[in-house]
């Protein structure tokens, strides 16, 4: 008997009818002899509705109280799904994150899981029940409700798979797998049958919305096989697993993109040791994540320092950077929140030279100027004006032969 973790996102449980359909999928898996733990999101649109309500009451609600509010969305779903399963003759029990004892740190709205006590879940499974767990939430050491941020239900599912030593974790969503590019941009994008953790981690971090990055990190760390599947149609989906030799034969696995980028530059800062820390320290203290970084040396005494952040953090980061500029006696601060990032990802890049030059030449031929470049062993990312995003993605998808189904 295999233990399978199933995760269903908000679109999959967006109505009573869809919850009934999920219950049928759970029953079908159970009929094959599997033990089932089901992790669910709030119904589609519910989290946004709760956020809107909070803003009607208070312009800037306390993060702790916001977590208390947002966690109720998943509580509705787990109860309804458990009721649907019971009505179909299947014993089921629902648990909130706190009831399962998903322990997190105390960073409200962006908490990280630190430990899970799986005893209660294991006991329910031994009793022959399907266990339905609220994703996206946990509790800190003081018993305060916390939430894991957008996409946190994926993380909950994979963390439960690790805690229970599950055989596989199935991520059900509104797409039937991971694609070589966003099909909404590239009509010839192909579904990938199998992809390595490392490639998926890069694609998730670079803008692919199929999986949340922390869920891939968990899966890689604990060697949990993930399978991305569609809730609405049958198929094998995409298996995300440990790397093997056959994967390195594929030069480029996919083209990722991210529209949510903004760029900031502080000009004419002293070119002295520790200057990067003095610039980025206040940004980090505001819990703003920095992505790409470039330092240009001007004359022998000054430098220009450029970095990117999420577009939602642009104004806050700009205000902080303007204060830092005054402290450092910098020449000034520039910003641009109309940029995008395009990336090529593939294990095969390790053993093949010339990928960067091929990428840059293809973009240049289309008149697309590159503003920033970042590389790792298996990816190359460029920042471009956001009006060129779709053209750039389609160009690179064709350049690296991903238009052809192979």
């Amino acid at each position: 008997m295999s233990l399978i973790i199933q995760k269903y996102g908000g679109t999959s449980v967006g109505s009573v009818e869809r919850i009934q359909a999920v219950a049928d999928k759970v029953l079908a898996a159970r009929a094959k002899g599997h033990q089932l733990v089901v992790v669910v999101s709030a119904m589609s649109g519910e989290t946004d509705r709760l956020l809107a309500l909070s803003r009607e009451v208070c312009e800037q609600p306390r993060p702790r109280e916001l977590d208390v509010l947002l966690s109720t969305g998943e509580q509705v779903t787990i109860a309804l799904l458990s009721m649907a399963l019971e009505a179909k003759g299947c014993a089921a029990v629902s648990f909130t994150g706190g009831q399962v004892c998903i322990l997190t740190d105390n960073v409200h709205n962006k908490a990280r899981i630190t430990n899970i006590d799986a005893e209660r879940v294991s006991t329910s499974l031994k009793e022959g029940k399907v266990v339905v767990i609220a994703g996206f939430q946990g509790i800190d050491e003081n018993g305060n409700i916390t939430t894991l941020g957008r996409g946190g239900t994926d993380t909950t599912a994979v963390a439960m798979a690790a805690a229970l030593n599950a055989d596989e974790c199935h991520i059900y969503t509104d797409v039937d797998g991971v694609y070589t590019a966003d099909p909404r941009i590239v009509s010839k994008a192909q579904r990938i049958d199998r992809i390595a953790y490392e490639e998926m981690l890069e694609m998730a971090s670079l803008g692919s919305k199929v999986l949340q990055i922390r869920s891939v990190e968990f899966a890689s760390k604990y060697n949990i096989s993930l399978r991305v599947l569609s809730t609405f149609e049958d198929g094998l989906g995409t298996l995300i697993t440990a790397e093997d030799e056959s994967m390195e034969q594929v030069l480029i696995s996919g083209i990722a993109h991210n529209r949510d980028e903004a760029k900031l530059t502080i000009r004419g800062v002293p070119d002295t040791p520790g200057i990067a820390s003095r610039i980025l320290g206040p940004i980090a203290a505001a819990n703003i994540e920095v992505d790409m970084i470039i330092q240009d040396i001007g004359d022998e005494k000054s430098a220009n320092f450029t970095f990117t952040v999420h577009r939602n953090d642009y104004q806050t980061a700009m205000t902080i950077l303007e204060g830092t500029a005054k402290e450092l006696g910098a020449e000034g601060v520039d910003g641009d929140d109309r940029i995008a990032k395009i990336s090529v990802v593939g294990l095969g890049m390790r053993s093949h030279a010339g990928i960067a030059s091929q990428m840059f030449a293809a973009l240049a031929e289309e008149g697309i100027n590159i503003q920033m470049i970042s590389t790792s062993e298996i990816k190359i990312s460029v920042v471009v004006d956001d009006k060129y995003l779709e053209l750039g993605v389609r160009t690179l998808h064709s350049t690296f032969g991903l238009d052809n189904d192979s």
Side-chain angles (χ1 to χ4, degrees), residues 366-384:
E366 294 295 335
I368 301 174
N369 186 50
I370 297 172
Q371 301 180 24
M372 301 176 73
I373 302 169
S374 174
T375 66
S376 76
E377 193 177 23
I378 66 165
K379 66 92 175 168
I380 303 170
S381 296
V382 296
V383 166
V384 301

Side-chain angles (χ1 to χ4, degrees), residues 22-41:
V22 166
D24 289 336
K25 292 185 80 70
V26 173
L27 290 174
R30 189 173 169 84
K32 295 177 181 178
H34 300 310
Q35 289 183 307
L36 270 296
V37 173
V38 185
V39 179
V40 293
S41 300

